């Protein structure tokens, strides 16, 4: 089973709202990722967690706050977003081992609209 | 540092004809190369990957790709396109020890009946 699940599938929020995106995998993967994807563009890496610790932050604005409560879960907390943050947010995971060697498996994404 | 170039942002083929999607990479060390497919309103699905074993890699849905070091290429092919192949295709490269996937700009495939 190579399934990564994400909830919700769609989210509409105002610029003053606080919301969270959730990602879950039960493949024993110990690296988890958040990507942002705009229409007709490739995914852009936001964060990487390795063994539940934040290892990469691609200079993402603080209105995005990641959290990895355990080895199966990854959250992305959203606060005071801007309309330009509207995008498809993808979660991915990969096996333990040296980064780069392992395949990243992607979830279906959460489509976010900020009004 | 690694990067990927996908030649052709849009490829249109007739059903039953071959598909060729081009990918060239640059990497300072032997790379790992991936092809992903993204259907409308979905996430990315792995088609195939090259990890320094066989240079001809077979993937799902009848796709295959050949790693050519001399040409720094990893082109994706399928002998006979099906309507269900209409999607966005991304080539990606990573280096050992680096969690970052560098994606190409993507190629949109449309299949004509």
């Amino acid at each position: 089973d190579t399934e990564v699940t994400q909830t919700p599938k769609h989210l509409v929020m105002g610029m003053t709202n606080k919301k969270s995106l959730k990602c879950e995998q039960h493949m024993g993967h110990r690296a988890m990722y958040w990507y942002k994807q705009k229409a007709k563009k490739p995914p852009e890496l936001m964060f990487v967690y390795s063994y539940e610790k934040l290892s990469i932050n691609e200079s993402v604005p603080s209105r995005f706050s990641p959290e990895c409560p355990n080895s199966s879960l990854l959250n992305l907390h959203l606060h005071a977003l801007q309309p330009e943050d509207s995008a498809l947010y993808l979660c991915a995971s990969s096996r333990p081992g040296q980064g780069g060697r392992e395949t990243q498996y992607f979830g279906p994404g959460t489509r976010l609209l900020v009004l | 540092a690694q990067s990927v170039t996908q030649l052709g942002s849009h490829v249109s083929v007739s059903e039953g004809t071959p598909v060729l999607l081009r990918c060239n990479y640059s990497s300072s060390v032997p790379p790992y190369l991936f092809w992903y497919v993204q259907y409308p309103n979905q996430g990315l699905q792995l088609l195939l990957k090259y990890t320094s074993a066989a240079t001809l890699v077979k993937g799902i849905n009848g796709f295959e790709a050949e790693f050519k070091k001399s040409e720094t290429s990893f082109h994706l092919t399928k002998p006979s396109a099906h309507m269900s192949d209409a999607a966005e295709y991304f080539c990606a490269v990573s280096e050992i020890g680096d969690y970052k996937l560098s994606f190409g700009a993507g190629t949109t495939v449309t299949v004509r009946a």
Side-chain angles (χ1 to χ4, degrees), chain A residues 31 33 35 37 40-43 45 48 50 56 58 88 90 94 97-104 106-108 111, chain B residues 32 34 36 38 41-46 49 51-52 88 90 94-101 103-106 108:
Chain A
Y33 311 74
Y35 287 86
Q37 186 181 27
K40 300 297 184 183
K41 297 290 186 183
L45 183 65
V48 179
S50 177
I56 296 177
E58 292 288 278
L88 181 68
L90 294 165
S94 65
Q98 278 188 298
R101 185 190 296 272
E102 306 299 339
T103 300
Q104 293 186 26
F106 286 80
R111 188 162 298 281
Chain B
Y32 292 91
F34 305 83
Y36 285 91
Q38 186 173 31
N41 299 312
Q42 294 189 25
L44 275 69
Q45 180 182 6
L46 179 72
K49 65 178 181 180
T51 55
S52 74
E88 189 78 14
F90 292 101
S94 67
E95 295 179 356
I96 192 168
D98 188 351
Y99 283 101
K100 295 181 184 180
L101 268 180
F103 286 93
T108 303

Side-chain angles (χ1 to χ4, degrees), chain A residues 74-104:
Chain A
L74 185 66
N75 298 319
L76 186 63
H77 303 297
L78 314 173
H79 174 54
L81 295 192
Q82 303 297 310
E84 59 265 29
D85 296 321
S86 299
L88 181 68
Y89 288 84
L90 294 165
C91 174
S93 69
S94 65
R95 292 194 313 175
Q98 278 188 298
R101 185 190 296 272
E102 306 299 339
T103 300
Q104 293 186 26

